[in-house]
Amino acid sequence: SKQAGIAGGGMAEGLSEGKSRRVYLVLRDRILSNALAPGARLPNENELARFHRVSRVTVRRALAELEREKLIERRRSAG
């Protein structure tokens, strides 16, 4: 599974779909409010999907948008 970590700054455009946008907004708010420190690891896709009660595809869309805005960096986890 992929692991994501916090990167620099950016602003929203690309998500219209409701659930992805909701997950994106929650994560973005946590990042921008510094609830998550730069370099901190986010939970993996499965954990995020369970926590937000959405599919991994939905989580992946939200993470892709955060990555596009340079708010996170995604890396393959060793595993």
Side-chain angles (χ1 to χ4, degrees):
S1 73
K2 279 193 166 186
Q3 194 74 36
I6 310 308
M11 274 296 134
E13 287 156 29
L15 287 179
S16 55
E17 200 249 302
K19 289 178 187 171
S20 293
R21 182 149 186 83
R22 192 186 72 220
V23 173
Y24 156 82
L25 289 170
V26 169
L27 293 174
R28 190 193 67 171
D29 288 351
R30 288 180 65 202
I31 293 163
L32 295 178
S33 69
N34 293 319
L36 292 165
R41 287 183 103 163
L42 291 171
N44 68 35
E45 288 176 359
N46 285 324
E47 292 164 340
L48 287 169
R50 266 196 306 276
F51 180 81
H52 293 281
R53 297 170 184 250
V54 296
S55 72
R56 268 183 67 193
V57 171
T58 298
V59 167
R60 205 173 286 129
R61 280 193 198 118
L63 293 175
E65 182 66 9
L66 291 166
E67 183 177 37
R68 194 183 68 75
E69 294 178 2
K70 309 278 192 256
L71 288 171
I72 64 169
E73 288 175 0
R74 298 176 83 183
R75 301 182 200 104
R76 269 206 180 282
S77 65

